[in-house]
Amino acid sequence: MKRIKYYSILFVFQFLGLFPLYSKSNSSGPDLVILKSETTFKIASSSKAELEEKYLLLVKNAEGLEKSESEFYYDNLIKIQSLTIVIKDIKGEIQKKIHLSDFGDFSAIAGNGMYTEDRVKLYDFTQFSFPFFMEVSIERKYNGFLHLPSFYPIYTYGISAYQVDYKIEYPKDYNLTWKQFGTGIKSTIDTVSSTHVLQFHVDSMHQLVKEDYAPDFSELVPHIVFNLPYFRYDKSEGDLSSWTNYGNWLSALLNTLNSELSDETKKELIAIKELQISKKEKAEMVYKWFQNKTRYISVQIGIGGYKPSAPKLVDAFGYGDCKALVYYYISLLKFIDIEAYYCVIKSSYESETVPVLEHPNFTYFNHVIAALPVENDTLFIECTNQKIPFGFVPSSWIGKPYLLVSNNQSYLSKVPHITYGENASKSYRNYKVSKDYKMLANEQNLYSGIQMRSKIWELIEPKEQLQKTMSLYQSSKNRNLENYEVELDKKYKFIQVKEAVSCVIKPKSDGRIILNVFEDKWMSGFNWDTTRLCTGVFRNSYIISDTIIFEFDTLIKDVILPESLNHSNKLYNYEVKLSFRDNKICVYRRIAINKVNLSLPEMKALVKENSEMLKYESSKIAFRF
Amino acid sequence: MKPIKFLSFIFLILISSNSFSQQKYFEPKPVTEADLKLKVCDFDSSAQAMYLFDVANIHIDFDESVSLGFKIVFDRKYRIKIFKKESSDLANGSFLIHNGDKEKLLKIKAFTYNLDNNGKIEKTEINKQSIFYENISDDLTKVKYTLPKVLEGSVLEVSYSIVSYDLTSLKSWIFNDNIPVKYSEVVYDIPEYFTFKPMTTNFPTNSIKSNWLSNQSASFVSKERELIGGVTGTSFNFSNFSFIVKSELYAVNNIKGFTKELYTLPRNDLNIKISQELVYIRLPWYTLDRANKSWFSLSTALWDSEKFGKKLTSSPMLKKELLSLKSNFEDSIQFLTFLIETVQKKAKWNNEYSLSIDKDLRQVLTGEQAYSAEVNGLLYQLVKEAGYTVYPGLVSTFGREKPNLFNSSLRGFDHMICLVVSGNELLTLDACSPFSKPGFLPKLDYNGEVLALVPSNPVLVQNNPTKSKEIIILNYALEADETIKGDVNAFYMNAEAETRMKFDKTNPNHQLKSNDIPAVTSEFSFEVSPAKASVSEKYKFSWAGIDKIGEEMRFKPFLFYAQESNPFLPTERYTPIFLSNPFSETIKVIFNFPSNYEIVSVPKSSSVVLDELAKFKLVVSSDETSIQLMSELNFNEYYFEVADYASIKKLMDEMIRKHADEIVLRKKK
């Protein structure tokens, strides 16, 4: 009977076209299929609940296994009561029954973490041959903290779902609110004696394939965001009915911390305070001293995910996580009467879905920074990096919401689109070619606006390491790196990279020298194909320009240059000019990308244009001495 | 009625005297201003930090409270100098201790030294909150610590002691690390009752070894309880004894930090290391003999083991069937291939290596998940029942400690294969391989010799990886639209085929050497021949990468199979080159073009030969309408000393240079 059941389900899916049975790659079907999923959240109070999940997955390949989220996390406040997984082969025959005791138990520490109380239950599922069914049954108990994660029927790319049910039972007097984004989720609400029963149901949802310049995942997939107005975390009670209230709760946590500084620190700060310089300059001096004194280490104990270590401890030991370092820096400034604020921020490279801001959610923010008001402006300050320039805003913060935490005056805002000049990268390259086929290339590159941010990491990297990396990169192209310098403009308007490279050009057997005109193929960044499924979202306008001058110590002849080009469409204007004059070859190339949204037909129409441009960028120049 | 002795004795150590030997251990001097002002490592100027010293004393001590009267204490102390703030992560450290009664952390102390504003040495101690105990399994706890006030110029000092009650195992010591080490030392203090075999790896010529003896004495009380006439009595006997302690010191100076390099040996093979392996314990009240006195005693112990030899000598399962089947096969190779295939179909390897055979081999035959020795144990049984002379062969898989002919030890061995006597040779079989070819072992099986468990005469036999082959035939033509269309036939054998098995079997593009990938215009055929340990691939392609310069058309004849980058880029090399296996790579090009085109130039033939070690050869020929090229790269060895690096780099450079040479055509006028 069981076998018949599984086969029939598979047949239905085949019929629905949800997945081809033995697809190998994402383009031909999802990696993971949620055949059936039932989740029940039974909320007893603001800090107690039971979560029951039962789901049947078809794991088709290793990517699907990764997406199956078969790592089960818990901590002191969320316990796993029971966990059973049944693995069945594609014919429905049981391969293994795995119980909670069969799982390995590990610390959930990640990245630069030193210690966390969070744990994870792991099992090696790679031993099973793909595809296989995974029948999961898990019960969790929340005691001390309750957080309702958003409900996504499919939670990442490459997953299809057939039948997904999500139920929340909560006391009638409990003011739970929710909001649906997108369509396709059916909802009902019933009341059974003193309990509301909120149910969501989804029938068949196709997989999404990740594409460049597409809207963000959360904009493409319907989902529900919940809000529990009151919460309890360990022994601390809070209000999440508004971001302001949440900020005030954080502020109250901060107020309990010991901000006393050592005499030695005070002495350093007093010396800075007494200088006749501006508030901003003082804050910058304190920042440099702070960077030298501290380092980033993550330790998460108890409420440590939200409450930082006390400034007194950071002062004594010189380390902390982002929360602790920010609050320490703020305390240092406070000592010299400079006001700065603790800000929680959503640091992300994805675009921002504004409606979430109207719907406070406990885990929305993921980083802490400092905000320093100066002369009608606000500086945003990263405190976990010892090399990042003072007040430099990484691109992952631009336009992102932040919550400024202040006693009863917390408020939500957004990091402005700080441009630091236009979004541009400009290159000036001078190639000196001698008759003995030696070439010395001097390049000067200026990066400003968003373009600058990709270079900030070179500024932070130790110089010796950077030289080594760049030198290796150049030698992979048979060139010698003579010099490499990265410098940030004092007003943060641009980053300048100077590079000198030498090499020997190899002439062809007929004495002809052939060189690539364009080393960087700009158009390769717009190389989507005709099978594209999503509209295009180009979030920033920017300009890239390149001026190359080839100079020769001897007269050259038989010069062949590609045609100049000027091509425009809704997305870009692309211009290339080439000339040979006074024994010099000059190449000027510029592309201006527009901030624009393109429809799917427009995206498809661009494919051919882009491939033509890409072909053009393979053009060569040729000459002889 | 005879007295019944129901508790033989409990001993209590009362006194232990001081040794009379002179002190020879490293004695750290206090941190000085000079240490704190030190700006650079004197033997590695690019280092961002260095160990000023890293020393350990591992001593076996009396302890009246432990069951055998001895315990092992591991004392470690190190100092790190921070030259650059970027290396401040070195202030975070960790070590493992066994849980329960096996080990205990006796103490941990850590300090950061800095110069304060007045130039005085400031010493900051770690606080308890900066030491974490993370349970990583039922058996192990990771002790993590992070030091305070770490600045550029700081000196970090950490010391800790761990006591172990497992007398069979002494900790190994690794002398080198990612950062330079000025001085590293370990001293083992071993009482005469214990005999350990030291095994050193990669010890440099400037290493220091010395040993000395000291005398220790102790008293213990033996307590006997006797039941005499229904009454229990206790009698005490006091004994004094003295014993000799042998101290062995191993030290190395000025060791450079590790450099990450491509195609090198695993870290374990590059470490400067000493391990100690227990041979026997002969206490007056307790003895333990390990079987590792000789390869013979080890082999005998394994054959006698319930979880190895006994399982391999269990009653036959399919003897009659196998013997009758055997006659259906032309030769032994075919029949052995069939047996490997049978085991691969029936047994389910859980991808774990192990020497232990816990399961009955019949259970393995029914498809239960099994460890490697269980899978190959089944293969051994079937081969033996089929009438072959076969021995279990123990393998240390890649990355683990290699077997050492002069140190009989099971250390490192974690996998079992089968060795079948075939004429004068031993044929290797491994049913955990992706293929079923006798004589082919997967890459991971090559890590030094195989221990052939021949009952009467166990031997270490050479286990060198077989040469892999890669043959690519590119047959293409110039089309009227001046694009190239053609087909690819590729054949991979042995380790190269094993590598191919891990790739996407639906698309060839990811495995091409050049970024200039073609459009695949046919089905990608990917065929595996398990019995030949080979993979063949076929597909058709079109390619539009021809450069047109004036009237000329130019392209690299090896197209997207051209070798474009040299894996040996740096001018200096610090570690030997390790290629996993010898290999040959042949790319043959057959290019046809219409008769209205003429050849302007073609690449010239070339050859670079490094004695018998390696060779690159390019052979080119052409006629009116076709050009043929053959590129051959041959590495007859898989391990090269640092001294060979420059020649190998040059050989690869030549190959890249020749693969970049173009065919130039133009239309006839």
Side-chain angles (χ1 to χ4, degrees):
Chain A
M1 280 307 288
K2 273 182 187 168
R3 282 193 194 185
I4 292 165
K5 182 180 156 193
Y6 276 89
Y7 279 132
S8 58
I9 288 172
L10 287 173
F11 175 75
V12 171
F13 290 138
Q14 284 276 66
F15 181 72
L16 289 171
L18 278 177
F19 63 91
L21 244 181
Y22 293 101
S23 82
K24 300 276 183 191
S25 68
N26 218 348
S27 57
S28 53
D31 302 311
L32 180 78
V33 183
I34 303 169
L35 300 172
K36 192 171 171 55
S37 168
E38 288 175 355
T39 304
T40 306
F41 226 120
K42 290 179 185 168
I43 299 171
S45 70
S46 60
S47 64
K48 287 192 176 180
E50 284 175 14
L51 174 64
E52 217 180 287
E53 290 175 280
K54 284 182 181 169
Y55 48 91
L56 174 63
L57 308 174
L58 175 65
V59 184
K60 292 170 69 185
N61 50 37
E63 288 79 19
L65 180 58
E66 206 165 294
K67 289 168 187 171
S68 70
E69 299 196 336
S70 307
E71 296 165 347
F72 302 92
Y73 292 86
Y74 70 98
D75 57 30
N76 286 345
L77 306 176
I78 306 170
K79 301 279 181 211
I80 298 173
Q81 295 294 103
S82 68
L83 170 60
T84 309
I85 295 183
V86 181
I87 303 293
K88 293 176 180 173
D89 67 14
I90 197 67
K91 292 174 186 168
E93 285 179 1
I94 293 179
Q95 298 295 296
K96 184 108 181 162
K97 269 190 181 172
I98 306 152
H99 300 281
L100 188 55
S101 56
D102 300 324
F103 280 76
D105 188 273
F106 301 93
S107 167
I109 207 141
N112 290 325
M114 171 55 77
Y115 184 75
T116 177
E117 287 175 338
D118 297 350
R119 308 282 302 175
V120 59
K121 297 275 183 190
L122 297 176
Y123 188 86
D124 179 17
F125 293 101
T126 57
Q127 60 184 281
F128 304 108
S129 307
F130 298 114
F132 62 80
F133 292 101
M134 185 187 260
E135 210 173 280
V136 182
S137 177
I138 179 165
E139 285 177 15
R140 290 185 175 94
K141 204 165 193 168
Y142 290 63
N143 191 0
F145 172 60
L146 178 58
H147 157 64
L148 264 182
S150 300
F151 165 54
Y152 281 83
I154 55 173
Y155 42 86
T156 189
Y157 298 98
I159 300 181
S160 288
Y162 178 58
Q163 193 182 327
V164 182
D165 287 285
Y166 194 87
K167 184 160 82 175
I168 303 172
E169 296 173 14
Y170 59 100
K172 246 165 62 175
D173 57 349
Y174 207 76
N175 191 21
L176 184 146
T177 59
W178 57 277
K179 184 167 182 166
Q180 176 167 344
F181 296 95
T183 55
I185 303 176
K186 291 174 201 161
S187 61
T188 56
I189 183 154
D190 290 318
T191 306
V192 182
S193 67
S194 61
T195 306
H196 282 319
V197 181
L198 183 57
Q199 294 193 70
F200 301 99
H201 177 80
V202 174
D203 277 328
S204 71
M205 197 167 276
H206 287 260
Q207 67 149 338
L208 290 176
V209 177
K210 197 169 171 51
E211 291 178 309
D212 291 339
Y213 303 108
D216 286 337
F217 184 77
S218 60
E219 293 173 54
L220 296 169
V221 174
H223 60 281
I224 310 281
V225 175
F226 300 101
N227 179 248
L228 287 168
Y230 299 102
F231 65 86
R232 190 181 168 86
Y233 196 108
D234 208 0
K235 285 170 190 163
S236 173
E237 287 184 3
D239 177 356
L240 199 57
S241 57
S242 71
W243 284 116
T244 302
N245 290 349
Y246 174 66
N248 293 343
W249 174 73
L250 283 176
S251 175
L253 283 184
L254 298 176
N255 289 339
T256 62
L257 300 171
N258 186 339
S259 298
E260 198 184 320
L261 304 171
S262 68
D263 290 343
E264 189 191 328
T265 302
K266 284 178 186 169
K267 208 172 148 187
E268 295 279 352
L269 294 173
I270 288 165
I272 295 172
K273 189 180 177 182
E274 285 171 356
L275 294 171
Q276 295 300 309
I277 53 174
S278 70
K279 182 172 120 178
K280 186 180 167 186
E281 286 167 326
K282 284 180 186 173
E284 185 169 0
M285 279 190 82
V286 173
Y287 186 68
K288 282 180 181 157
W289 179 85
F290 157 86
Q291 280 183 308
N292 187 41
K293 184 184 162 81
T294 59
R295 70 186 205 274
Y296 173 81
I297 287 176
S298 168
V299 175
Q300 310 287 342
I301 299 172
I303 199 168
Y306 297 88
K307 184 179 175 180
S309 302
K312 186 181 178 177
L313 294 176
V314 181
D315 193 49
F317 303 123
Y319 58 79
D321 62 6
C322 61
K323 302 181 293 295
L325 293 171
V326 165
Y327 199 53
Y328 176 57
Y329 176 61
I330 289 169
S331 304
L332 297 174
L333 294 181
K334 196 175 174 186
F335 185 78
I336 56 168
D337 303 325
I338 295 176
E339 199 172 29
Y341 296 94
Y342 185 90
C343 294
V344 285
I345 187 172
K346 175 77 177 270
S347 175
S348 157
Y349 291 100
E350 296 212 328
S351 65
E352 203 34 60
T353 47
V354 179
V356 175
L357 300 179
E358 296 155 12
H359 225 81
N361 182 298
F362 207 92
T363 55
Y364 181 67
F365 294 109
N366 59 3
H367 189 42
V368 179
I369 59 173
L372 175 72
V374 281
E375 300 147 15
N376 300 324
D377 195 6
T378 302
L379 290 179
F380 296 94
I381 296 158
E382 171 64 58
C383 291
T384 60
N385 190 295
Q386 279 97 33
K387 288 283 176 79
I388 199 161
F390 175 67
F392 188 86
V393 175
S395 49
S396 58
W397 300 359
I398 291 173
K400 298 295 182 301
Y402 69 88
L403 178 66
L404 187 138
V405 175
S406 170
N407 287 340
N408 297 319
Q409 289 174 344
S410 302
Y411 65 85
L412 193 70
S413 188
K414 276 188 179 185
V415 177
H417 282 268
I418 301 164
T419 56
Y420 298 139
E422 65 177 349
N423 296 329
S425 85
K426 294 174 184 170
S427 296
Y428 303 92
R429 306 175 195 211
N430 183 276
Y431 295 168
K432 285 197 164 73
V433 186
S434 59
K435 203 182 175 183
D436 57 357
Y437 303 114
K438 284 181 183 158
M439 184 159 89
L440 179 68
N442 274 300
E443 295 187 17
Q444 188 189 17
N445 303 288
L446 295 175
Y447 303 89
S448 57
I450 284 170
Q451 297 295 317
M452 177 164 80
R453 284 173 179 81
S454 61
K455 288 283 158 188
I456 190 71
W457 306 112
E458 289 191 10
L459 205 66
I460 287 166
E461 202 170 343
K463 269 186 187 167
E464 300 83 359
Q465 187 57 42
L466 184 63
Q467 287 285 341
K468 218 171 172 178
T469 310
M470 297 314 296
S471 177
L472 214 58
Y473 170 71
Q474 291 297 349
S475 63
S476 73
K477 296 177 166 186
N478 292 321
R479 298 168 182 166
N480 298 317
L481 183 77
E482 305 291 341
N483 186 36
Y484 196 84
E485 285 173 31
V486 187
E487 202 180 315
L488 176 67
D489 164 58
K490 281 182 183 166
K491 291 183 177 172
Y492 300 177
K493 291 278 183 200
F494 57 86
I495 284 180
Q496 180 174 263
V497 179
K498 283 183 184 170
E499 188 174 21
V501 172
S502 66
C503 65
V504 176
I505 310 167
K506 193 192 155 208
K508 303 296 174 186
S509 50
D510 53 3
R512 184 170 262 167
I513 295 171
I514 298 171
L515 300 172
N516 286 317
V517 189
F518 312 111
E519 196 167 295
D520 308 319
K521 292 187 170 55
W522 294 347
M523 281 298 159
S524 61
F526 306 113
N527 202 21
W528 52 83
D529 58 34
T530 46
T531 57
R532 182 160 182 113
L533 298 166
C534 267
T535 58
V537 182
F538 297 85
R539 297 193 172 92
N540 298 298
S541 59
Y542 56 93
I543 294 167
I544 312 175
S545 68
D546 210 351
T547 306
I548 310 168
I549 297 168
F550 292 91
E551 288 180 30
F552 307 93
D553 65 351
T554 311
L555 280 178
I556 58 167
K557 58 186 178 184
D558 298 342
V559 176
I560 300 173
L561 300 178
E563 299 271 305
S564 293
L565 173 99
N566 195 333
H567 184 84
S568 289
N569 55 38
K570 205 171 169 184
L571 178 61
Y572 56 75
N573 170 257
Y574 187 36
E575 187 187 4
V576 184
K577 289 178 188 165
L578 298 108
S579 65
F580 174 59
R581 203 182 299 157
D582 301 334
N583 207 38
K584 284 181 188 170
I585 296 172
C586 300
V587 183
Y588 173 74
R589 182 170 60 146
R590 179 183 182 274
I591 188 165
I593 312 284
N594 300 316
K595 183 182 176 184
V596 67
N597 288 348
L598 297 181
S599 66
L600 188 54
E602 284 173 323
M603 288 296 280
K604 289 195 173 189
L606 269 175
V607 171
K608 203 179 167 199
E609 285 181 52
N610 294 342
S611 68
E612 285 299 315
M613 297 297 112
L614 195 58
K615 212 168 162 185
Y616 178 80
E617 287 184 327
S618 298
S619 305
K620 308 269 195 302
I621 56 173
F623 58 88
R624 285 179 221 270
F625 280 110
Chain B
M1 196 180 199
K2 282 187 176 179
I4 303 164
K5 294 184 181 177
F6 61 89
L7 249 177
S8 59
F9 56 73
I10 300 166
F11 51 84
L12 298 165
I13 308 304
L14 296 181
I15 310 154
S16 66
S17 72
N18 290 328
S19 70
F20 54 74
S21 73
Q22 62 186 82
Q23 188 69 277
K24 296 185 181 180
Y25 308 92
F26 176 81
E27 278 191 88
K29 290 173 187 159
V31 173
T32 63
E33 206 180 309
D35 290 335
L36 291 161
K37 285 184 174 168
L38 190 67
K39 294 284 179 212
V40 68
C41 170
D42 57 354
F43 57 95
D44 188 353
S45 58
S46 64
Q48 302 201 349
M50 76 185 286
Y51 279 93
L52 295 171
F53 64 80
D54 187 6
V55 297
N57 181 205
I58 299 166
H59 42 106
I60 303 179
D61 294 349
F62 287 126
D63 187 334
E64 59 186 313
S65 62
V66 297
S67 64
L68 290 177
F70 281 92
K71 64 185 179 188
I72 300 170
V73 181
F74 171 73
D75 297 320
R76 182 186 178 198
K77 187 168 194 169
Y78 65 83
R79 257 183 221 157
I80 290 177
K81 169 73 189 177
I82 303 288
F83 294 120
K84 299 275 180 200
K85 188 83 197 275
E86 287 83 4
S87 61
S88 57
D89 278 353
L90 291 164
N92 307 336
S94 67
F95 54 86
L96 294 173
I97 52 170
H98 285 90
N99 295 338
D101 297 332
K102 290 180 187 166
E103 280 185 343
K104 278 199 176 90
L105 177 64
L106 290 180
K107 63 152 196 184
I108 172 164
K109 283 188 173 180
F111 303 93
T112 303
Y113 296 87
N114 288 303
L115 280 178
D116 70 11
N117 291 342
N118 303 318
K120 284 185 180 171
I121 295 174
E122 176 198 70
K123 182 178 176 183
T124 312
E125 187 169 8
I126 196 169
N127 68 334
K128 277 185 186 171
Q129 287 77 39
S130 301
I131 302 170
F132 308 95
Y133 300 87
E134 183 185 307
N135 252 355
I136 61 167
S137 69
D138 289 344
D139 191 41
L140 286 171
T141 293
K142 192 178 231 181
V143 181
K144 291 176 156 185
Y145 51 90
T146 182
L147 278 88
K149 287 196 171 180
V150 181
L151 309 173
E152 217 159 82
S154 295
V155 170
L156 317 175
E157 181 181 288
V158 178
S159 61
Y160 58 88
S161 296
I162 299 167
V163 63
S164 166
Y165 304 103
D166 174 10
L167 296 175
T168 61
S169 166
L170 286 182
K171 284 192 192 299
S172 303
W173 184 250
I174 294 168
F175 293 82
N176 48 343
D177 207 327
N178 292 328
I179 56 169
V181 184
K182 181 86 181 152
Y183 181 75
S184 180
E185 171 193 289
V186 61
V187 180
Y188 291 94
D189 296 330
I190 304 171
E192 61 180 299
Y193 308 116
F194 299 84
T195 298
F196 284 87
K197 278 192 296 191
M199 287 182 278
T200 56
T201 313
N202 298 324
F203 251 55
T205 47
N206 67 344
S207 61
I208 303 156
K209 287 183 193 173
S210 71
N211 57 68
W212 61 91
L213 300 175
S214 58
N215 208 7
Q216 288 190 14
S217 62
S219 296
F220 72 90
V221 181
S222 69
K223 185 173 73 170
E224 289 191 19
R225 302 190 78 199
E226 295 178 357
L227 190 65
I228 305 164
V231 179
T232 305
T234 305
S235 63
F236 295 90
N237 292 306
F238 291 87
S239 303
N240 290 316
F241 70 104
S242 65
F243 56 89
I244 295 165
V245 175
K246 185 181 180 190
S247 297
E248 297 168 8
L249 178 147
Y250 303 85
V252 186
N253 283 307
N254 298 350
I255 320 162
K256 282 194 170 187
F258 273 109
T259 309
K260 278 185 188 168
E261 291 181 312
L262 290 173
Y263 296 104
T264 191
L265 292 162
R267 177 74 173 254
N268 199 25
D269 290 345
L270 295 169
N271 278 335
I272 302 170
K273 185 177 169 184
I274 174 156
S275 313
Q276 297 272 5
E277 178 146 322
L278 180 70
V279 182
Y280 56 77
I281 302 173
R282 293 202 181 135
L283 288 162
W285 50 85
Y286 174 82
T287 59
L288 173 73
D289 267 84
R290 272 282 168 91
N292 55 2
K293 273 175 276 181
S294 66
W295 291 112
F296 179 76
S297 57
L298 265 178
S299 168
T300 308
L302 276 170
W303 280 111
D304 291 343
S305 159
E306 288 294 331
K307 289 192 174 182
F308 192 83
K310 299 284 185 201
K311 289 274 172 35
L312 293 179
T313 49
S314 53
S315 57
M317 291 182 280
L318 300 162
K319 192 169 183 175
K320 273 187 191 169
E321 292 87 339
L322 287 170
L323 288 173
S324 68
L325 262 175
K326 198 176 174 183
S327 56
N328 298 337
F329 292 86
E330 278 181 14
D331 57 28
S332 288
I333 295 294
Q334 279 193 19
F335 189 53
L336 291 170
T337 306
F338 165 75
L339 291 178
I340 300 173
E341 279 170 358
T342 305
V343 173
Q344 284 175 331
K345 275 179 201 157
K346 297 283 180 187
K348 280 187 184 155
W349 182 36
N350 61 9
N351 284 315
E352 299 273 351
Y353 291 105
S354 171
L355 287 187
S356 181
I357 305 177
D358 293 356
K359 286 191 175 68
D360 187 300
L361 295 177
R362 283 169 206 278
Q363 288 174 279
V364 182
L365 190 63
T366 58
E368 280 196 23
Q369 292 268 334
Y371 287 93
S372 66
E374 293 171 334
V375 173
N376 280 330
L378 175 64
L379 178 64
Y380 169 87
Q381 182 83 355
L382 298 186
V383 172
K384 193 176 69 174
E385 286 177 25
Y388 292 95
T389 306
V390 57
Y391 304 111
L394 304 192
V395 166
S396 160
T397 55
F398 185 71
R400 292 173 63 87
E401 205 164 296
K402 284 191 168 80
N404 181 337
L405 178 64
F406 304 105
N407 271 305
S408 49
S409 165
L410 282 185
R411 192 189 279 261
F413 289 117
D414 64 332
H415 180 40
M416 177 205 138
I417 60 169
C418 298
L419 300 165
V420 181
V421 178
S422 171
N424 292 328
E425 290 181 356
L426 283 173
L427 205 55
T428 52
L429 315 184
D430 186 352
C432 298
S433 156
F435 303 119
S436 54
K437 181 177 154 183
F440 170 80
L441 291 180
K443 277 183 187 178
L444 282 178
D445 284 8
Y446 293 106
N447 186 34
E449 291 90 348
V450 176
L451 174 60
L453 295 177
V454 183
S456 56
N457 182 26
V459 281
L460 280 177
V461 291
Q462 285 283 321
N463 182 29
N464 292 325
T466 42
K467 194 168 186 173
S468 74
K469 256 188 197 173
E470 178 177 338
I471 300 167
I472 294 157
I473 300 167
L474 273 161
N475 192 339
Y476 58 82
L478 180 68
E479 299 291 310
D481 61 357
E482 297 189 338
T483 61
I484 276 173
K485 286 193 172 68
D487 48 54
V488 172
N489 276 281
F491 174 78
Y492 306 97
M493 205 167 85
N494 296 339
E496 204 53 54
E498 193 187 346
T499 306
R500 247 60 202 174
M501 293 286 282
K502 290 171 190 157
F503 287 170
D504 184 352
K505 296 171 187 70
T506 61
N507 188 342
N509 286 350
H510 63 280
Q511 40 177 292
L512 303 176
K513 288 168 185 166
S514 159
N515 293 325
D516 203 359
I517 56 171
V520 177
T521 57
S522 69
E523 282 287 304
F524 178 53
S525 152
F526 185 94
E527 282 180 16
V528 183
S529 169
K532 290 179 181 166
S534 70
V535 164
S536 54
E537 299 172 353
K538 283 180 192 173
Y539 63 94
K540 291 186 188 305
F541 68 90
S542 73
W543 186 73
I546 293 179
D547 284 331
K548 284 163 221 159
I549 308 288
E551 293 172 349
E552 294 173 356
M553 298 171 63
R554 295 170 171 267
F555 63 94
K556 295 172 192 171
F558 296 104
L559 306 180
F560 30 86
Y561 283 97
Q563 182 82 35
E564 288 186 339
S565 60
N566 191 341
F568 306 115
L569 277 178
T571 44
E572 274 188 80
R573 178 85 182 184
Y574 302 95
T575 56
I577 300 164
F578 178 74
L579 301 173
S580 299
N581 50 271
F583 72 92
S584 73
E585 176 200 280
T586 306
I587 311 173
K588 195 171 179 189
V589 170
I590 303 154
F591 169 54
N592 294 299
F593 53 92
S595 54
N596 57 333
Y597 284 84
E598 63 184 356
I599 296 171
V600 177
S601 68
V602 292
K604 290 198 171 78
S605 297
S606 164
S607 171
V608 180
V609 180
L610 303 180
D611 299 326
E612 295 297 309
L613 299 177
K615 182 175 79 177
F616 167 70
K617 191 168 81 174
L618 178 73
V619 181
V620 186
S621 64
S622 61
D623 57 33
E624 290 291 297
T625 56
S626 77
I627 301 168
Q628 284 99 37
L629 301 97
M630 192 161 73
S631 161
E632 273 183 11
L633 178 67
N634 241 298
F635 274 85
N636 295 323
E637 297 291 335
Y638 61 99
Y639 179 87
F640 299 90
E641 296 295 347
V642 174
D644 296 322
Y645 178 72
S647 314
I648 288 169
K649 180 175 162 58
K650 207 171 158 187
L651 180 137
M652 291 305 295
D653 279 340
E654 174 64 6
M655 180 177 175
I656 289 154
R657 202 174 65 82
K658 294 311 292 183
H659 277 208
D661 272 356
E662 292 170 322
I663 288 175
V664 184
L665 299 179
R666 73 172 157 233
K667 267 190 181 165
K668 285 179 184 168
K669 284 176 184 166

